[in-house]
Amino acid sequence: MAISPEPKFQTTGIMVRVLIALVPGTAVAVWAFGLRMIPVVVTATFAAVASEVVCIRSFKTIRDGSALVTGILIGLCMPPTVPFWIVAVGSLIGIGIGKHVYGGLGKNLFNPAMVGYVAVLVSFPEQLTHFDAVTGATVLEVVSHRGGSTLVELSGHPSIGFFGAAGYEWVNCAFLLGGAYLCVVRIISWHMPLAVLVGAALPTVLFYDGGSAASWGSPLFHLFAGGTMLTAFFIATDPVTSPSGRVPIWIYGLFVGIATMAIRKYGAWADGYAFAILLANILLPYIERRVPVAKAWNR
Amino acid sequence: MNSPKQQFPPLDWRGKSPEVLLARVRDAGIVGMGGAGFPTHLKLQAALQSDHRTVVANGVETDPGVTADRALLKQKGSDVLEGIGIVARILNASSSYLAVSNQSIAERLRICNDHDIAISVIDNDYQNGEERVLIEKITGEPISQDSYPAHNGIAVLNVATLFAICECVRDGLAVTKRIATVLGKDQWCEIDTPVHELANTSEKLRVGSFANGRSVKDQDTLKPIHNAISINLSSQALPCIRCGWCDSACPKDLPVERLLSESMGSISSPTAQTHLNECNDCGACVVSCPSRIPIIDYIRESRDRQNESGYIAQRANEARQRFEAKQQRIDSQNQRTMDERERRMQQEHKWQ
């Protein structure tokens, strides 16, 4: 006897599936960056959930899993060498200022995970950019300072992998896999990740010249370096801070991709996805207001 | 269950004139039992204005979790067919159709079909039970959005309404009970029984399906237009996470998410005003919502508010026009008096 058909998923169900989709990426990140990633992610998650409880003084909203997802995303953005208290501060700022200041789930203007990450990134730049223990800098940073020629020079170096940066290529592949799962179970539509990836590939396709010192890295390198896949599948697709409707989705996604690339190339930071997301969040109300809801495009 | 009340003498409808039958439908106070509650005799009178008349019996129910019409067709299928025959006689209809969503019900009804009714099976995809969609599926001709099907001579009646018509005309019975899906079980319910008594539960309830029904208060009773009693799932609603699934679920392609956020914030943008009236309360958005938000309640509330403010504005406008006309009348009256006085003054002056 079916009393009533269930909705496709409930909000809690969405969050659970996002957690499942994050498993391969997290596992590969632990394998690539060392076992210290585990306590980093656990600290971030625990701090996020604790902040949620403190902010609303109740255990009620933990059940929807959104704080859990935010915490894990903050943890995955962090380098393994970061002090744990910085991770905790990131989660606290993300949940507290990024989410509950605005009124909680669904009312926040900015992606809470990115608010927390950017807050600690600009406050503790030294601790957060010592990603690679061997070279003391991420490959992205090297590329950002020395241009695409580095890649050719370093192609035999262990910190450069086959097509992305060492380790990163596999982490990104794993996030791609998890993201594909989310698309298949239709938690997210494939338009947003595709728009971000196209946006990221566009400048590199236009300006890559085979590896001169002034050029950008190759498109393949950039797609599989840094947090590209994490951004495309897990951060840009946050329903609360991304538009609905096909045209706004493409504008938002392309903006995130292009801005990430611009910050990687010209900005002071090695990777730009967090800033790109926050910039896109700022633009979002304007995009939603100015783009008419094109009926036929909405599906 | 006590025996139904005999309100009128039974009629042998095949021998009576359409006017007598229509008067009986009016006197019995039959309303659309699919949910709209529009008086049936008015619908039939509207259809009578047209040259070509068609009866469409709507047995396609797409409300999630509601099976009352199916149960009625299974139990009282021949009565429903007779009801179609009665309406066809009232309208002198050129053709009559019955649309059902179930192949086996259609086969069973075809056996006892002696009223020359075309029985067709329609998938119970969402919105196929909506009258304009149904008409287009059956006759192949769309009805324009700004006219009702009845104005085009097509009387779309729910099968429960037709059953009521048959009972009141043939047997002279008033509408005292109807079949309704109570928490997933189809049962005959006395009209005007308190809803909570029928469902026998203390949970929050809705009359109609869980998607597009209306929430009820403690003492609310079952009306003839209610085809189901369901649990009010939206009492467990979570916040809107702006996933946009309601937008893609909407069969009318309305920007539901935007309408919802505007309704929640009591904002009314110009686009919202047209969209709110386009919505036909199907409830697809409620089904799709992962947070189980009673979207349709907000939409209805906002629409009522908008229509009410439109009504107030209209009344104010009329009052202003009346006031200005009166002011003008007074002014012209004064002017005329002045002119008259002026004229007389001059006349007196002339006499001196």
Side-chain angles (χ1 to χ4, degrees):
Chain A
M1 180 187 80
I3 289 181
S4 53
E6 291 286 314
K8 196 162 47 169
F9 300 112
Q10 290 186 42
T11 297
T12 313
I14 295 179
M15 296 302 175
V16 168
R17 279 167 181 80
V18 172
L19 291 180
I20 294 172
L22 280 168
V23 166
T26 314
V28 175
V30 169
W31 170 74
F33 305 138
L35 284 176
R36 200 164 182 277
M37 278 307 280
I38 298 178
V40 166
V41 172
V42 169
T43 309
T45 313
F46 185 77
V49 173
S51 313
E52 174 99 5
V53 173
V54 170
C55 284
I56 60 161
R57 292 171 210 87
S58 129
F59 291 89
K60 251 191 334 206
T61 60
I62 295 182
R63 179 171 69 84
D64 66 33
S66 57
L68 209 61
V69 172
T70 306
I72 291 183
L73 287 177
I74 290 176
L76 287 174
C77 295
M78 297 286 175
T81 52
V82 69
F84 293 122
W85 65 272
I86 292 186
V87 180
V89 167
S91 287
L92 179 67
I93 294 177
I95 294 289
I97 297 180
K99 186 175 166 190
H100 284 291
V101 160
Y102 291 96
L105 178 64
K107 300 199 181 70
N108 45 312
L109 292 181
F110 300 101
N111 189 317
M114 292 301 101
V115 170
Y117 174 53
V118 164
V120 291
L121 184 60
V122 296
S123 311
F124 312 103
E126 271 180 31
Q127 288 91 327
L128 265 90
T129 43
H130 280 253
F131 215 105
D132 197 66
V134 184
T135 60
T138 65
V139 181
L140 265 177
E141 253 175 86
V142 177
V143 173
S144 159
H145 293 138
R146 292 179 53 192
S149 61
T150 335
L151 287 179
V152 185
E153 277 171 32
L154 293 178
S155 59
H157 192 274
S159 68
I160 302 288
F162 297 100
F163 44 87
Y168 276 115
E169 53 190 17
W170 298 116
V171 175
N172 273 292
C173 280
F175 281 129
L176 175 63
L177 186 73
Y181 163 75
L182 283 187
C183 292
V184 168
V185 298
R186 302 189 67 179
I187 297 279
I188 58 175
S189 93
W190 51 268
H191 289 274
M192 178 61 87
L194 190 67
V196 175
L197 296 180
V198 167
L202 206 64
T204 54
V205 169
L206 290 179
F207 300 121
Y208 182 58
D209 59 0
S212 79
S215 84
W216 306 46
S218 79
L220 206 56
F221 168 77
H222 273 297
L223 287 184
F224 286 92
T228 314
M229 290 296 169
L230 184 69
T231 312
F233 284 97
F234 293 95
I235 297 173
T237 53
D238 168 33
V240 180
T241 54
S242 69
S244 61
R246 197 151 292 177
V247 177
I249 281 182
W250 273 90
I251 295 174
Y252 182 92
L254 289 173
F255 179 85
V256 168
I258 294 171
T260 305
M261 285 301 125
I263 295 169
R264 274 186 193 176
K265 175 70 182 155
Y266 302 110
W269 304 96
D271 205 350
Y273 61 91
F275 299 102
I277 289 283
L278 291 183
L279 282 175
N281 288 164
I282 293 173
L283 274 182
L284 180 61
Y286 183 73
I287 298 175
E288 288 211 315
R289 201 170 64 240
R290 290 311 292 268
V291 177
V293 183
K295 286 191 172 184
W297 280 84
N298 232 347
R299 296 187 170 238
Chain B
M1 192 165 290
N2 18 358
S3 64
K5 204 172 104 199
Q6 184 100 17
Q7 200 183 12
F8 306 102
L11 284 181
D12 178 21
W13 59 271
R14 286 184 179 78
K16 297 287 185 223
S17 74
E19 289 76 28
V20 174
L21 299 177
L22 185 60
R24 167 62 60 87
V25 170
R26 187 192 62 220
D27 295 342
I30 288 177
V31 295
M33 289 167 79
F38 189 76
T40 302
H41 73 275
L42 292 181
K43 192 185 261 186
L44 296 180
Q45 274 169 358
L48 275 170
Q49 307 299 317
S50 182
D51 297 335
H52 293 280
R53 268 107 50 184
T54 310
V55 185
V56 177
N58 188 353
V60 183
E61 55 184 358
T62 52
D63 287 351
V66 181
T67 50
D69 288 354
R70 260 160 277 188
L72 178 75
L73 284 169
K74 267 183 204 163
Q75 294 178 21
K76 305 278 185 182
S78 57
D79 292 344
V80 172
L81 291 175
E82 200 170 338
I84 301 173
I86 294 170
V87 175
R89 180 163 174 83
I90 293 175
L91 293 181
N92 193 14
S94 51
S95 46
S96 38
Y97 302 93
L98 169 61
V100 297
S101 53
N102 187 317
Q103 188 70 41
S104 70
I105 291 175
E107 294 300 336
R108 202 180 314 176
L109 289 176
R110 278 183 189 128
I111 295 169
C112 53
N113 177 8
D114 51 358
H115 302 277
D116 194 25
I117 297 162
I119 299 176
S120 47
V121 181
I122 306 279
D123 308 333
N124 57 350
D125 285 352
Y126 217 67
Q127 289 284 287
N128 276 357
E130 206 265 331
E131 55 183 8
R132 290 172 209 277
V133 181
L134 186 67
I135 291 168
E136 197 173 340
K137 289 252 173 194
I138 289 178
T139 64
E141 285 169 31
I143 300 284
S144 74
Q145 282 295 329
D146 42 309
S147 72
Y148 286 101
H151 293 148
N152 298 299
I154 303 174
V156 185
L157 295 166
N158 184 268
V159 287
T161 319
L162 289 161
F163 174 69
I165 290 174
C166 171
E167 281 212 317
C168 90
V169 171
R170 187 191 58 191
D171 308 326
L173 299 178
V175 185
T176 57
K177 58 186 169 53
R178 68 157 297 152
I179 204 162
T181 308
V182 180
L183 305 189
K185 247 197 319 236
D186 296 309
Q187 62 187 58
W188 287 94
C189 302
E190 297 274 336
I191 305 288
D192 269 342
T193 320
V195 170
H196 279 90
E197 200 173 298
L198 281 169
N200 198 13
T201 166
S202 58
E203 292 212 52
K204 288 208 182 309
L205 296 173
R206 272 170 183 263
V207 286
S209 75
F210 84 92
N212 57 3
R214 288 167 191 274
S215 52
V216 290
K217 294 190 196 66
D218 280 347
Q219 289 308 311
D220 282 359
T221 55
L222 190 80
K223 301 281 177 245
I225 61 170
H226 297 147
N227 57 3
I229 299 173
S230 333
I231 301 277
N232 191 352
L233 292 176
S234 53
S235 53
Q236 317 146 15
L238 293 170
C240 171
I241 56 165
R242 308 187 59 227
C243 59
W245 288 358
C246 45
D247 286 353
S248 39
C250 181
K252 297 252 171 182
D253 279 339
L254 304 178
V256 186
E257 193 187 292
R258 219 180 275 188
L259 289 179
L260 176 68
S261 60
E262 284 177 7
S263 304
M264 282 176 153
S266 302
I267 308 166
S268 182
S269 69
T271 49
Q273 308 210 338
T274 47
H275 288 318
L276 282 173
N277 284 330
E278 268 177 70
C279 167
N280 65 356
D281 286 21
C282 72
C285 47
V286 182
V287 179
S288 75
C289 180
S291 288
R292 291 184 157 171
I293 297 168
I295 300 175
I296 201 151
D297 290 358
Y298 288 102
I299 301 266
R300 278 174 183 152
E301 194 189 313
S302 163
R303 184 169 48 203
D304 290 350
R305 196 166 51 223
Q306 173 202 310
N307 291 348
E308 194 188 358
S309 63
Y311 177 69
I312 291 169
Q314 190 195 338
R315 288 288 301 270
N317 199 27
E318 284 170 7
R320 190 171 48 83
Q321 282 173 359
R322 276 198 304 275
F323 173 75
E324 280 171 0
K326 186 186 176 195
Q327 205 63 36
Q328 209 176 355
R329 266 198 320 274
I330 293 171
D331 286 353
S332 65
Q333 184 77 36
N334 287 350
Q335 192 63 42
R336 231 176 297 141
T337 326
M338 296 283 278
D339 290 352
E340 186 74 8
R341 189 181 296 160
E342 192 84 356
R343 198 174 55 79
R344 278 209 304 267
M345 292 275 280
Q346 281 174 359
Q347 278 176 352
E348 271 175 82
H349 206 69
K350 228 185 320 184
W351 293 337
Q352 284 177 344

